Amino acid sequence: QAVQQEELIETTPEWEGGRHYGSRIVFDKDNYLFFSNGDRGDTPSNAQDLTNSHGKIHRIHDDGRIPSDNPFVNEPNAIKSIWTYGNRNPQGLVYDKANDRVWEAEHGPMGGDELNLIEKGKNYGWPVITYGQNYDGTPITDITEKEGMEQPVTYYVPSIATCGMTIVTSDKYPAWKGDILIGALAKMHINRVDMEGTKALSQEVMLQDIGRVRQVSESPDGYLYAITEGTGLLVKLIPIR
């Protein structure tokens, strides 16, 4: 039973509709709380509007206070909790403790899912730039890059429907150490991004058709686990010696 519930922050404006809520929360080493919030779907331009909470990654103290060094605290009418903007629908968020950085995976439209390194005050481009298109096949924009907007570390065409993610830190998987594992909903696999620092070298599809992978996590004992919906599996990845 949940007790002593406390509302820390409210995203505004209130928005009707049932999609692109974001939904991920992580803490960093200084106990700042980062949370993702999608663009709400029907109005993609929300993501570029600093007076609007939607389509953003936010950063607050664990008691709901706004950090004084957030990037837009002195911007007139801006939402003070915003850490980054131009994020369509962030479904994955993970804190890289070893390197003190935050990674995010977000759904594109039809194509254009992204893996992003989340950095203070940066604009990740949605819907001005994207590698995806509308679901009816028409273009959203005719550009995939623009000055002042971040490029994804890697992206997915067609979409895999990125979801929960983790960074491999365990010695149990030496060949994967530092790599990022992302659950795929639509494509029903685990996507391993072979990383060299902050650079993505390649992608590997693992455990194809195990179901819609909602979350991939590394446990305190160093093993990797994934949980699926539809097939209802809890999967443990055991290294072959």
Side-chain angles (χ1 to χ4, degrees), residues 9-10 12 35 50-53 57-61 64-84:
I9 194 166
E10 179 180 349
T12 57
F35 69 93
L50 294 178
T51 70
N52 185 302
S53 296
I57 305 295
H58 297 263
R59 175 185 183 246
I60 60 175
H61 288 286
R65 291 178 296 118
I66 303 298
S68 61
D69 61 343
N70 269 11
F72 303 108
V73 290
N74 297 316
E75 185 87 17
N77 302 318
I79 302 293
K80 310 307 180 188
S81 59
I82 293 172
W83 187 249
T84 69

Side-chain angles (χ1 to χ4, degrees), residues 142-205:
D142 59 356
I143 57 173
T144 55
E145 56 185 85
K146 186 175 181 179
E147 186 176 356
M149 295 183 177
E150 298 302 302
Q151 282 291 298
V153 173
T154 192
Y155 62 93
Y156 301 85
V157 177
S159 292
I160 65 170
T162 55
C163 203
M165 59 192 293
T166 196
I167 295 174
V168 182
T169 65
S170 172
D171 292 329
K172 296 184 185 299
Y173 312 87
W176 294 354
K177 203 161 187 180
D179 291 353
I180 295 176
L181 271 57
I182 304 173
L185 295 172
K187 294 300 183 182
M188 295 189 292
H189 66 253
I190 297 171
N191 187 273
R192 181 177 69 88
V193 184
D194 183 13
M195 299 295 297
E196 186 177 271
T198 60
K199 182 180 179 181
L201 301 180
S202 62
Q203 300 172 13
E204 179 187 4
V205 173

Side-chain angles (χ1 to χ4, degrees), residues 2 20 50 64 68 73 75 78 84 88 95 97 106-107 119 124 143 147 161 175-176 222 235:
H20 296 192
L50 294 178
S68 61
V73 290
E75 185 87 17
T84 69
R88 182 178 183 267
Y95 175 60
K97 183 178 180 181
E106 68 180 68
H107 285 201
E119 296 182 303
Y124 291 81
I143 57 173
E147 186 176 356
W176 294 354
V235 178

